[in-house]
Amino acid sequence: MKTSKLFLIGCFALLGVAFMSCSKTDLYDSNAEYELQKSTYTSNFVKKYGEIDSNQSWDFCTMATSYSLESSNHALTRDGSSSFNANATVGEILIEKTTIDWMSTNLKAGTNNVKKGKPFFLQVPENSFTIVPIFQGNATYYWQLWMHVDGIEEDKLIWSKGDIQYITSQGSTDWVSPGTGNAGMKDAFEVKAPTYTFENLPVEADMYFYLKVWDDYDAFTSNAKNPRELTSLQQMMLALIDCPRPANVPESNMVSIIGCEDKKTGDFDYEDLVFMMYGNPAPPIQHVDEVIAGTPKRYMLEDLGTTDDFDFNDIVVDVISGRVKKKIYYDIDANGGWTLNHEEVVENLPDQAIVRAAGGTLDFTLTIGNTTWTKSKKFPNYQEMLNTGRNGSISYSKELDKFDVEGYNASANNVSVSVVGRGNSGEVMTITFPKKGEAPMIIAVDAPTNWMDEKVSVPTGWFFTTE
């Protein structure tokens, strides 16, 4: 007979939660009431998701390394009352066959092109510039192209897979879309593509691109699995700066083409997504010689404010361990190709915590290793639900606060939360990371994992398999 069980669904499984242990002074009027609340929570969790396997772990993090640049301080102020933003003016452009053929020759499908470029970032020019997606290859993965700019609070979603049209022969009027599945644009003759023009970004600020990648479109729509983040900082994108200028781009503009790889263990042909940038000048390509590397783990928590609330957004915090500044050395060959020589750690950096969301209405103190952070000290109106969808949309790149931590152990998950009880009782409940098989109130996941809107439970598919 088939039964449903909670289980670890692999490197891209999403949520889990933590078990609660009560201090000598409890959240509620008596220990009996606390135990009743905890029992009711467990009962509701099982009712929602099914019986919990005794070997179920709540640490789903794959411990993948992430990369970032040191924050830039270039030109982050502007005269007058105007402020920076990443809003784009959207248009459309026709990309002719000459450009598509050049791209296909230089990013030939199935050919490893990794030596054609180093990891890179860009710098914002004084002028406006335009981004144009021009090609997508055959792949079942679903992805989105994002842009990060220092000085802009939220990263910008540029483009999602499928939003492009092409014809396969001269004179054809049958414009088709490669869609969101594995159909690519192998026979593209001309491309009708959206354009995104930016003109209100901080001049000379560092910027880089990354793909968020899901296993397929269904995984994206159901929020069933973690997206992967593949960035230009880790050689998952390739910048070509000597490409021909399309006829519809003004003569004064410089043009670059950037190819993206959508799988860390892929073929590295960089034609899974190809986009063009142009401007007078286009954002200059800066090769990465120094990068900050670390291993992020995202903790999502429930605070037992209610016993049937499984959105796991009462606290969302990323903890980045093993942070180092690395120097990267490449060799250049006779053909202009780049080959990694070695990497060298030049500075060890403290572990860091980034608070992303705080949805509970109860005050709490977050403990990470030997470091504590109290919501009411940062936000005196601690009852306000922050970045959970309660008062507007969620910004998954938002930083409510950032601070260094000491004594954190990623393997031990020594993260806990002490929640202050309702009213003025001063009673406290402590939530710690769960043991296997317990009804969770804390889970650990990969940092790209999106948390739920307020009062929207984690999908059942995150926790179940059928035997």
Side-chain angles (χ1 to χ4, degrees):
M1 181 177 69
K2 291 184 177 181
T3 58
S4 293
K5 282 187 177 181
L6 291 169
F7 83 128
L8 176 58
I9 54 179
C11 8
F12 302 113
L14 274 183
L15 278 130
V17 166
F19 181 65
M20 307 171 51
S21 64
C22 186
S23 64
K24 290 184 179 179
T25 55
D26 299 308
L27 177 63
Y28 303 102
D29 292 340
S30 68
N31 187 63
E33 186 171 356
Y34 160 73
E35 293 296 338
L36 177 61
Q37 288 276 19
K38 186 173 68 172
S39 175
T40 303
Y41 177 88
T42 299
S43 176
N44 287 336
F45 188 88
V46 171
K47 186 185 300 182
K48 173 71 176 178
Y49 297 109
E51 294 294 333
I52 304 172
D53 190 293
S54 60
N55 292 316
Q56 173 65 40
S57 168
W58 304 107
D59 187 343
F60 301 116
C61 186
T62 60
M63 301 300 288
T65 301
S66 67
Y67 299 88
S68 63
L69 297 170
E70 287 191 275
S71 294
S72 167
N73 292 317
H74 293 303
L76 300 186
T77 60
R78 181 186 290 269
D79 292 337
S81 59
S82 59
S83 60
F84 298 115
N85 65 66
N87 295 332
T89 301
V90 181
E92 189 175 79
I93 194 172
L94 185 69
I95 305 296
E96 67 269 21
K97 188 176 188 300
T98 303
T99 300
I100 301 301
D101 286 348
W102 187 92
M103 180 275 302
S104 299
T105 299
N106 285 273
L107 299 176
K108 187 175 181 180
T111 298
N112 189 323
N113 295 308
V114 71
K115 290 185 177 182
K116 289 188 175 183
K118 296 167 64 176
F120 68 91
F121 62 101
L122 307 96
Q123 287 187 319
V124 177
E126 293 184 2
N127 51 275
S128 64
F129 64 91
T130 300
I131 298 173
V132 186
I134 63 173
F135 188 85
Q136 68 181 54
N138 295 70
T140 57
Y141 299 121
Y142 180 76
W143 36 251
Q144 296 176 330
L145 174 65
W146 288 76
M147 178 176 72
H148 169 87
V149 182
D150 279 358
I152 300 295
E153 184 176 85
E154 298 185 18
D155 292 351
K156 172 67 176 179
L157 171 61
I158 304 293
W159 188 54
S160 297
K161 184 178 183 181
D163 185 18
I164 194 170
Q165 290 184 307
Y166 67 100
I167 55 175
T168 57
S169 62
Q170 187 172 13
S172 173
T173 59
D174 184 18
W175 291 93
V176 296
S177 170
T180 59
N182 65 350
M185 298 167 59
K186 180 180 179 181
D187 300 319
F189 183 83
E190 288 184 332
V191 175
K192 190 187 299 181
T195 62
Y196 305 91
T197 301
F198 297 89
E199 58 183 354
N200 195 31
L201 300 176
V203 176
E204 295 186 358
D206 295 339
M207 58 185 287
Y208 61 86
F209 296 97
Y210 59 94
L211 288 186
K212 283 188 177 181
V213 184
W214 291 261
D215 281 356
D216 51 40
Y217 185 66
D218 288 341
F220 165 74
T221 56
S222 64
N223 204 14
K225 294 184 178 181
N226 291 337
R228 302 179 288 280
E229 287 190 359
L230 308 179
T231 81
S232 63
L233 303 180
Q234 58 184 135
Q235 211 168 5
M236 298 305 296
M237 296 184 182
L238 179 64
L240 304 173
I241 59 176
D242 56 350
C243 50
R245 179 184 58 81
N248 290 323
V249 174
E251 290 186 12
S252 59
N253 281 229
M254 297 169 54
V255 179
S256 57
I257 283 180
I258 296 175
C260 307
E261 186 62 37
D262 65 4
K263 187 178 180 182
K264 287 183 178 179
T265 56
D267 49 17
F268 291 97
D269 53 14
Y270 296 92
E271 55 88 61
D272 298 315
L273 162 64
V274 183
F275 63 97
M276 182 173 67
M277 300 185 66
Y278 62 86
N280 184 21
I285 305 296
Q286 308 289 326
H287 288 137
V288 173
D289 296 312
E290 196 168 79
V291 68
I292 294 176
T295 304
K297 179 178 280 195
R298 174 164 292 174
Y299 293 93
M300 298 181 175
L301 298 89
E302 281 291 337
D303 67 0
L304 205 65
T306 59
T307 61
D308 58 355
D309 180 355
F310 307 115
D311 53 24
F312 291 102
N313 68 11
D314 291 335
I315 307 169
V316 179
V317 59
D318 296 345
V319 186
I320 308 170
S321 58
R323 295 175 66 241
V324 296
K325 184 186 294 184
K326 295 197 299 185
K327 192 79 173 178
I328 306 174
Y329 296 88
Y330 280 82
D331 295 329
I332 186 169
D333 59 34
N335 297 319
W338 295 93
T339 303
L340 176 67
N341 183 308
H342 71 284
E343 297 180 351
E344 177 183 320
V345 174
V346 295
E347 184 179 356
N348 292 307
L349 301 173
D351 292 347
Q352 189 176 76
I354 304 174
V355 180
R356 301 286 189 183
T361 60
L362 305 177
D363 194 17
F364 65 82
T365 294
L366 175 66
T367 299
I368 304 172
N370 302 324
T371 304
T372 60
W373 183 89
T374 301
K375 183 180 181 182
S376 60
K377 290 183 179 180
K378 177 68 177 180
F379 303 102
N381 182 18
Y382 63 82
Q383 293 181 329
E384 182 180 1
M385 296 181 180
L386 302 173
N387 205 23
T388 66
R390 176 67 178 267
N391 299 308
S393 60
I394 295 173
S395 170
Y396 296 107
S397 59
K398 189 178 186 65
E399 297 179 356
L400 297 179
D401 202 7
K402 179 190 291 186
F403 52 93
D404 293 343
V405 297
E406 296 180 351
Y408 169 67
N409 185 322
S411 298
N413 291 310
N414 56 339
V415 172
S416 63
V417 176
S418 297
V419 182
V420 178
R422 294 181 177 87
N424 298 317
S425 65
E427 294 162 343
V428 173
M429 172 185 66
T430 299
I431 303 170
T432 60
F433 199 83
K435 298 177 181 178
K436 292 182 179 180
E438 296 176 336
M441 292 190 69
I442 304 177
I443 60 168
V445 296
D446 286 336
T449 304
N450 292 344
W451 55 96
M452 309 305 294
D453 285 1
E454 191 66 32
K455 302 299 181 183
V456 176
S457 294
V458 170
T460 302
W462 287 357
F463 293 137
F464 280 98
T465 185
T466 301
E467 297 180 344

